[in-house]
């Protein structure tokens, strides 16, 4: 007898159903409404792997194309006594391959059982009939003994799986999507460029497409409708439980660590070398160049040497990790810097067992004077002031200390390894309104007028007005510009009036320099400050030109309106993931609603960024929220660094985002000033997705997209806690505008806002680059996503699929309505009829029913709420399987530097994608023009029919109760399929016959 083999391989990204963020899935397969078979249950696994075969008998092989295979995934809730629906797939027998050799693995998206089902994920299946005989593996499986009347089979990958039988009652189920395979071509197609809904064949140097790893084991993939790539589990979030005090409830942990309760305690031995006095002379010349060497085992820290100084002052702190202590003694030796071998002045030795322990908030340990000794312990001339204690990373000396893991770094580069806190400068919008200029003096008296235009310059920002035509010596512009200014407002705004004498030749007519600090502030949308007249001064010339133009009297005036807009928020990052939405003026800022605490614990599996084989990584983290930036210390030569640094931010709006990036420090060598710090990855977390007072500890994947594809550079472990201190203010924030009032009363255009955002980014980057250690330009640009608004086909596809995902809800509603109208489930359809009649008879129940339904849905969804904070989603970003040519285009410079053949191929692909968009836009325009043509008399007969029909309906509805009309229309739309036919309805036929303007296009 012929057999049907259903191989159930795996599933991915299933919906958690057990209330603990997981599920215990198993698969139940039903063929031809016979006794269903099921797989094993995989406990607590959202990405289960079964690799099991289920075998069914085929009574009539010729009728296989008319049969269907139902594959349903359930969650084993109570050991088999209860099950939750996780998704289903219905596969048509017509899509099955003729034999096992032609069968390929196909991934099917799981379908919903109803409109309100919460389903996600996909399942990998391999289905084929065995008509003429069984293969060896299959024959062995078929000959195996049966248990409980169920036939079992061994997997081809030698994975044994038991098959369970479960007797269920036959129930009539709703129709779900049926998948049909598209036959594969005989030969491989040429390389294609992926686009929106289609592929475009390349003409110039096609780029080879890399075969996906998850399909490699099943041979060449078969094209299939609605095929969804599987999410790589390496790009997911991993929950952790580190031994931090906040999570452990201080069990077994000193309660004094509560100020640093989101990180693991790291103990350090601190040595504070303050100064020395009365040091003896060691050189023949009578001088001394002292420095101090702090030695603990193999670790050795050295202070700077001070030339010719017998009473030196160092004020330097050394920190040795307790985990790497290699000796019970610590030696502090004072030495004399010499050309050959350095001379020893004296030393002080401490026993680590006698070193005191200091825990903040204790006051700092007071340094003491210690007499220097020689190797035999004999007291020598000279004293050194020291302080030695055991502490943690909570010590205030920790950021400035020299760490033992940075022993190879020079004193000049040591600052680049320290942890620091930075603050972005306060930014303002500077509004400049150039109204007019009078009594302009031109150099060529023979010309009748001037072609005047104005230039406005503020730092690196430059704006130019239009050229006023040459009619007189007066010019009127009345143009307004907005620039970005930053505190401490030390810049000057320079306005220059120039005369366009000839193309490419301009002469300066006057200039004015105004300090920005002298400009008035504007806090609200009230009247602008009164315009003022300013004198235009003669520009400076050389001595010869000054003598030539000595007799010219310069008395020109310019009419200006200048002010600093303090009511706006100056955007320096995209509004989609902004971390600060407060206005510039401090008086307009709202009080804080809580506190955000972030513990940067560690990283693991980092890739070596320096060198190919056996390379190293010198990693540090940068976190940005609001105007506060923090930078952790750099850990050298470590692919699994442990920072354990905790920072806090005040929160003013919950709908903001914190960004944390990881970088490789390339500045510690001190040899190359132009070396750029390399990106390792970043994480963005929206605060509104966090529960208050809950501690989140996860490993976040560090993903970086490069021209060669998506790469995972490691994982970053973070601990997060959002604490709310003002619940009333936080709830009220959800009813307030996202941006300050001025953005809505006097909005700035989107195009202009993008230009201002770029200028603000440049100002912030330049200011942070002047700090010590500097926060480099490439770091700031990566954290602020400078190139977020640049064109990217990959990002456009991601946005397109996001829109399609939103429209899937409308599709589900339409499908549910179609199922009700076609009586797929008679019970549901009858209930809808009853509900419809009740709402028609009692219309006052419509709105309460709708809102109560929304309440019930929200309460129901609470059990399926996200348990983890959001992270970078490679699947949503269309980054995991992005085409190489798309990435090459995304990372290309502007303007492009690629060869002409690549640019031509991109242009052809863009034309192909734009052609599809053009077709869709044309179809939408056609439908809209048909709607307009109903009453426009473009088709006189159609318009006459419509208005006569409208008159008849108006009279009928007037004389007939509305409830009666509603019942008649509703019952007609919900009529039984026996009273339906497959031809389009009369209104649809009438609408499609209406004229549009498509026939008028050239």
């Amino acid at each position: 007898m012929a057999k049907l083999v259903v191989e159930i391989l795996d599933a991915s990204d299933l919906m958690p159903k057990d209330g603990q963020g997981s599920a215990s899935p198993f698969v139940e397969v039903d063929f031809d409404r016979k006794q269903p078979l099921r797989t094993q249950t995989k406990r607590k696994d959202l990405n289960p792997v079964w690799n099991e075969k289920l075998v069914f008998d085929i009574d009539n092989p010729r009728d296989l194309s008319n049969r269907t295979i139902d594959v349903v995934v359930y969650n084993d809730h109570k050991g088999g006594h209860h099950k939750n629906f996780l998704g289903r797939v219905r596969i048509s027998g017509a899509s099955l391959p003729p034999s096992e050799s032609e069968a390929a693995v196909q991934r099917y998206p799981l379908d919903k059982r109803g409109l309100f089902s919460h389903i996600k994920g996909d399942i990998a299946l391999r289905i084929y009939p065995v008509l003429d005989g069984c293969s060896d593996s299959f024959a062995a499986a078929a000959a195996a003994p049966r248990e409980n009347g169920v036939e079992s089979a061994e997997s081809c990958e030698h994975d044994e799986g038991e098959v369970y039988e479960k007797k269920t009652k036959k129930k009539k189920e709703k129709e779900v999507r049926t998948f049909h395979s598209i036959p594969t071509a005989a030969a491989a197609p040429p390389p294609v460029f992926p686009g929106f809904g289609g592929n475009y064949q390349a003409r110039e140097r096609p780029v080879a497409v890399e075969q996906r790893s998850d399909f490699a084991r099943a041979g060449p993939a078969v094209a299939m409708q609605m095929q969804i790539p599987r999410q790589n589990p390496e790009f997911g979030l991993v929950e952790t439980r580190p031994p931090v005090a906040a999570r452990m409830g201080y069990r077994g942990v000193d309660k004094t660590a509560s100020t640093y309760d989101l990180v693991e305690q790291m103990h350090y031995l601190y040595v504070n070398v303050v100064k020395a006095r009365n040091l003896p002379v060691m050189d023949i010349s009578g001088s001394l160049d002292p420095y101090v060497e702090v030695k603990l085992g193999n670790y050795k820290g050295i202070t700077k040497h001070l030339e010719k100084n017998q009473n030196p002052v160092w004020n330097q702190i050394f920190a040795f990790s307790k985990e790497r202590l290699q000796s019970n003694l610590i030696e502090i030796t004072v030495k004399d810097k010499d050309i050959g071998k350095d001379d020893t002045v004296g030393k002080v030795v401490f026993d680590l067992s006698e070193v005191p322990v200091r825990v903040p908030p204790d006051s700092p340990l007071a340094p003491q004077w210690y007499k220097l000794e020689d190797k035999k312990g004999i007291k020598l001339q000279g004293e050194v002031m020291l302080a030695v204690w055991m502490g943690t990373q909570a010590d205030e000396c920790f950021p400035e200390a020299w760490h033992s893991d940075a022993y190879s770094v020079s004193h000049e580069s040591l600052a680049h390894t320290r942890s620091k806190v930075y603050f972005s400068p306060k930014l303002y919008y500077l509004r400049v309104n150039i109204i007019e200029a009078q009594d302009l003096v031109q150099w060529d008296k023979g010309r009748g007028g001037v072609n005047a235009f104005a230039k406005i310059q503020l730092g690196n920002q430059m704006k130019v007005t239009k050229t006023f035509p040459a009619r007189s010596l007066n010019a009127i512009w009345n143009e307004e510009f907005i620039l970005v200014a930053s505190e401490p407002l030390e810049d000057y705004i320079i306005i220059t009036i120039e005369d366009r004498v000839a193309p490419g030749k301009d002469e300066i007519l006057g200039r004015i320099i105004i300090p920005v600090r002298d400009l008035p502030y504007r806090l609200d949308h009230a009247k602008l400050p009164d315009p003022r007249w300013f004198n235009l001064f003669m520009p400076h010339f050389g001595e010869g030109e000054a003598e030539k133009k000595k007799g010219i009297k310069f008395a020109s005036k310019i009419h200006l309106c200048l002010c600093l807009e303090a009511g706006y928020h100056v955007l320096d990052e995209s509004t989609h993931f902004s971390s600060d939405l407060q206005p510039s003026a401090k008086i307009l800022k709202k009080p804080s609603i809580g506190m955000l605490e972030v513990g940067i614990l560690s990283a693991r599996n980092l890739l070596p960024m320096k060198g190919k084989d056996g390379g190293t990584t010198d990693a540090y983290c940068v976190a940005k929220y609001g105007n506060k930036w923090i930078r952790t210390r750099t850990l050298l030569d470590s692919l699994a660094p442990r920072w354990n640094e905790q920072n806090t931010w005040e929160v003013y709006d919950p709908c903001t985002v914190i960004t944390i990036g990881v970088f490789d420090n390339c500045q510690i060598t001190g040899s190359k000033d132009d070396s750029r710090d390399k990106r390792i990855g970043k994480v963005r977390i929206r605060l509104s997705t966090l529960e208050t007072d809950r501690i989140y500890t996860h490993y976040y994947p560090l993903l970086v997209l490069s021209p060669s594809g998506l790469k995972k550079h490691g994982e970053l472990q973070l601990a997060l806690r959002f604490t709310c201190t003002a619940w009333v203010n936080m709830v009220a924030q959800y009813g307030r505008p996202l941006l300050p009032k001025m953005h809505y009363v006097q909005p700035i255009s989107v195009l202009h806002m993008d230009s201002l955002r770029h200028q603000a980014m440049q100002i912030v980057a330049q200011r942070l680059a002047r700090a010590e250690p500097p926060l480099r330009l490439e770091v700031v640009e990566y954290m602020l996503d400078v190139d977020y608004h640049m064109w990217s086909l990959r990002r456009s596809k991601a946005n397109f699929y996001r829109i399609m995902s939103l429209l899937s809800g409308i599709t589900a509603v339409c499908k549910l309505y179609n199922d009700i109208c076609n009586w797929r489930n008679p019970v549901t359809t009858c209930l809808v009829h009853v509900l419809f009649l009740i709402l028609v008879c009692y219309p006052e129940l419509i709105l309460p029913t709708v809102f109560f339904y929304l309440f019930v849905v929200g309460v129901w969804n609470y059990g399926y709420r996200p348990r983890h904070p959001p992270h970078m989603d490679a699947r949503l970003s269309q980054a995991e399987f992005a085409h190489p040519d798309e990435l090459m285009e995304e990372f290309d410079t502007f303007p492009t530097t690629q060869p002409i053949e690549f640019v031509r191929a991109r242009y052809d692909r863009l034309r192909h994608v734009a052609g599809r968009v053009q077709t869709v836009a044309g179809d939408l325009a056609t439908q809209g023009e048909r709607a307009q043509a109903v009453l426009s008399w473009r088709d006189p007969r159609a318009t006459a029919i419509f208005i006569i029909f409208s008159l008849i309906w108006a009279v009928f509805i007037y004389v007939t109760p509305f409830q009666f009309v509603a019942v008649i229309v509703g019952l007609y739309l919900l009529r039984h399929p026996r009273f339906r036919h497959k031809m389009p309805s009369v209104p649809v036929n009438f609408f499609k016959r209406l004229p549009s303007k498509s026939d008028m296009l050239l």
Side-chain angles (χ1 to χ4, degrees), residues 299-495:
Y299 293 100
K300 182 171 59 176
I302 301 175
T303 66
K304 293 182 179 180
H305 76 277
L306 305 177
E307 297 182 356
K308 298 180 181 181
N309 193 338
Q310 293 182 261
N311 298 286
V313 178
W314 292 287
N315 282 323
Q316 191 165 345
I317 301 175
F318 299 85
F320 298 87
S321 176
K322 186 178 179 181
E323 297 178 354
R324 300 181 180 181
L325 296 182
Q326 301 174 342
S327 175
N328 296 327
L329 300 176
I330 181 170
E331 298 181 1
I332 298 102
T333 307
V334 181
K335 292 188 176 183
D336 175 30
K337 187 72 174 178
D338 208 342
I339 299 176
K341 183 179 179 180
D342 297 342
D343 299 326
T344 301
V345 179
K347 67 178 181 179
V348 179
V349 180
F350 292 91
D351 190 347
L352 297 185
S353 61
E354 299 178 359
V355 172
V357 178
R358 174 183 177 263
V359 179
D362 291 351
S363 299
L365 197 66
Q368 301 180 19
W369 288 103
Y370 293 90
K371 291 285 292 183
L372 295 178
E373 302 176 353
D374 60 6
K375 296 180 180 181
K376 298 180 180 180
I378 301 175
K379 301 294 183 181
L380 301 176
Q381 180 185 350
E383 295 177 302
V384 60
M385 181 178 282
L386 303 171
V388 183
W389 71 95
M390 294 293 298
T392 65
Q393 71 268 38
D395 201 298
E396 64 272 6
C397 299
F398 178 79
E400 297 295 333
W402 173 96
H403 290 268
S404 57
D405 53 9
Y407 62 91
S408 61
V409 180
S410 62
H411 287 285
E412 293 76 13
S413 303
L414 189 61
H416 293 278
T417 65
R418 289 172 173 165
S419 56
K420 291 291 182 180
V421 177
Y422 306 83
F423 284 92
S424 301
K426 183 183 291 187
L427 302 177
Y428 296 90
Y429 285 141
L430 173 60
R431 190 182 296 271
V432 181
N433 187 4
I434 299 183
I435 303 174
E436 59 179 330
Q438 294 184 0
D439 301 331
L440 297 175
V441 178
Q442 58 180 345
W443 305 123
D444 187 3
K445 296 292 185 67
R447 297 173 56 219
V450 293
N451 295 322
F453 64 93
K455 285 184 178 180
I456 305 102
Q457 183 177 357
L458 177 64
N460 296 329
Q461 306 171 69
M462 176 76 72
K463 301 291 182 180
V464 181
T465 65
K466 297 179 181 178
T467 301
F468 191 77
R471 297 175 182 173
S472 63
L473 297 180
N474 300 331
I476 301 176
W477 297 285
N478 199 20
E479 295 187 32
E480 190 174 73
F481 302 94
I482 298 180
L483 306 174
V484 180
S486 63
E487 286 190 348
L489 302 179
E490 297 175 345
D491 295 331
Y492 294 86
I493 181 170
I494 303 173
I495 301 176

Side-chain angles (χ1 to χ4, degrees), residues 763-889:
I763 293 175
V764 172
Q766 293 174 5
R767 186 65 60 85
L768 295 179
R770 295 166 54 187
E772 184 63 31
L775 208 57
R776 295 183 59 83
L777 176 64
E778 61 271 14
V779 175
V780 178
E781 289 182 348
Y782 183 59
M783 296 288 291
L784 298 180
D785 283 287
V786 173
D787 56 349
Y788 179 76
H789 294 286
M790 294 296 291
W791 160 255
S792 168
L793 183 60
R794 174 195 59 83
R795 202 176 285 132
S796 301
K797 288 170 61 178
N799 293 332
F800 173 78
Y801 288 122
R802 289 170 60 194
I803 295 175
M804 296 305 296
S805 176
L806 295 176
L807 296 179
S808 64
I810 301 176
T811 305
V813 172
C814 296
K815 182 179 179 296
L816 176 64
Y817 172 75
N818 183 66
D819 291 345
I820 293 173
C821 294
N822 291 318
W823 292 68
R824 301 290 184 193
N825 191 329
V827 177
T828 303
T829 304
C830 292
L831 291 177
V832 171
H833 278 75
V834 173
L835 179 62
F836 171 73
L837 294 176
I838 293 175
L839 294 180
V840 169
C841 296
Y842 303 95
E844 64 273 9
L845 296 179
I846 295 177
L847 289 179
T849 302
V850 171
F851 285 106
F852 182 75
Y853 170 75
L854 296 177
F855 168 78
V856 172
V857 171
V859 173
W860 177 264
N861 289 341
Y862 180 78
Y864 307 102
R865 67 191 184 278
R867 302 305 177 102
H868 306 297
H871 64 286
M872 300 292 189
D873 194 331
R875 184 176 181 180
L876 180 66
S877 306
Q878 299 291 316
E880 188 173 357
F881 302 106
H883 196 278
D885 188 73
E886 296 178 10
L887 299 177
M888 189 184 302
E889 180 182 20

Side-chain angles (χ1 to χ4, degrees), residues 933-982:
V934 173
L935 297 174
S936 64
W937 292 93
R938 288 196 61 208
D939 187 341
R941 286 168 294 277
T943 304
I945 294 173
F946 180 79
I947 62 175
I948 294 173
F949 184 78
S950 301
L951 178 62
I952 295 173
W953 264 99
V955 175
F956 176 74
I957 295 176
Y958 178 75
V959 299
T960 307
F962 175 76
Q963 293 177 340
F964 177 77
V965 175
V967 169
I968 295 300
V969 173
L971 294 179
Y972 173 77
L973 295 176
L974 299 174
R975 65 191 184 277
H976 195 274
R978 183 173 298 178
F979 304 104
R980 297 176 181 271
H981 51 83
K982 297 183 178 180

